[in-house]
Amino acid sequence: MQMLRRTTSAPPELQSLTDGLAAGLGLRATVPARTLAETVTPAVCGWLRPVILLPARLVAQLEPPALRAVLIHELTHVRRHDVAVNLLQSMLQIVYWWHPLVWLANARLRQAREEAVDEAVGVAMGSDTETYPATLVEVARLVRVGPRLNLGLVVVFESRGSLSRRIHRLLGSPVPGSARLGVRGMTGLALFAVLALPMAKAQPKPRPASEEPVTTAPT
């Protein structure tokens, strides 16, 4: 990926913070953190060897609790293997670009994924969880919105509208006792499975009437 080539290794203190948070979330493998000069939204890149991408401007300007929240958000995506899931979603959306229900199901899955990650961040942050909505607003102020359809990335937010909905949800919901996907998320997953699996099999097209075999009566 071209974006990854433009990054540099994170400073030792940032990588150390990332390693500590990853261990706290139960991740065994090291997840490299890399910075780049572009003001893009933080993201996880790669599904086999995930890397966290952070704009250097964001790292320099965020307060420690906010930076910790961003890293927990990205590490939660790594723990859930969301890049691989997003890759599958994107490929199905490319193949079945003509089917509106696939677009609808994918949008619902992306929303459910971010809701689940937001809840996980709230649980992991503990007493600092109230700073998380403000962190999302600050990230949106400092960076550009990420792309909606990208095979190798999972970003913090894909549109201003989706970010607004998430913030209202965070402010209007109590902090969960544990991270969970929720009923609406499960509904989205079920809908996606119902739609995607049958369409994976090519359906034969009906033969035009002009091509129907002609039978003649025996003489």
Side-chain angles (χ1 to χ4, degrees):
M1 177 176 290
Q2 292 183 354
M3 184 181 294
L4 191 57
R5 298 192 189 101
R6 298 193 296 270
T7 64
T8 58
S9 298
E13 60 273 14
L14 179 58
Q15 187 61 58
S16 178
L17 175 61
T18 304
D19 293 343
L21 293 173
L25 292 173
L27 289 168
R28 297 181 180 180
T30 298
V31 182
R34 300 185 67 84
T35 60
L36 66 167
E38 301 168 48
T39 55
V40 295
T41 178
V44 175
C45 172
W47 62 280
L48 284 177
R49 297 178 180 177
V51 175
I52 295 177
L53 305 182
L54 298 169
R57 178 186 179 190
L58 198 70
V59 174
Q61 296 193 28
L62 286 183
E63 295 294 329
L67 181 58
R68 179 170 169 259
V70 170
L71 288 171
I72 292 174
H73 183 106
E74 302 308 329
L75 288 167
T76 301
H77 278 308
V78 174
R79 186 183 64 180
R80 288 164 40 89
H81 306 287
D82 282 336
V83 175
V85 175
N86 184 66
L87 175 63
L88 175 61
Q89 286 180 243
S90 300
M91 292 181 68
L92 285 172
Q93 190 162 317
I94 291 171
V95 173
Y96 299 105
W97 59 269
W98 48 268
H99 204 302
L101 290 181
V102 173
W103 289 76
L104 178 63
N106 269 340
R108 184 63 195 91
L109 266 180
R110 288 193 295 268
Q111 180 182 346
R113 177 171 62 219
E114 291 307 320
E115 289 176 358
V117 172
D118 286 342
E119 290 183 351
V121 173
V123 173
M125 291 190 68
S127 60
D128 289 331
T129 188
E130 294 182 358
T131 67
Y132 183 52
T135 297
L136 292 178
V137 173
E138 183 66 6
V139 170
R141 185 182 70 85
L142 294 172
V143 304
R144 291 186 283 110
V145 176
R148 283 184 174 273
L149 184 63
N150 194 304
L151 299 184
L153 289 177
V154 172
V155 298
V156 169
F157 59 93
E158 298 175 338
S159 70
R160 304 287 177 179
S162 66
L163 176 63
S164 177
R165 287 191 298 270
R166 286 166 58 191
I167 291 174
H168 280 88
R169 180 176 181 272
L170 288 168
L171 293 176
S173 303
V175 179
S178 60
R180 64 193 186 284
L181 183 58
V183 175
R184 290 187 298 170
M186 291 303 296
T187 302
L189 288 173
L191 175 61
F192 184 77
V194 168
L195 290 172
L197 293 180
M199 287 190 297
K201 299 180 179 179
Q203 298 295 325
K205 295 182 179 180
R207 180 180 296 178
S210 60
E211 296 183 8
E212 291 292 335
V214 178
T215 58
T216 57
T219 57

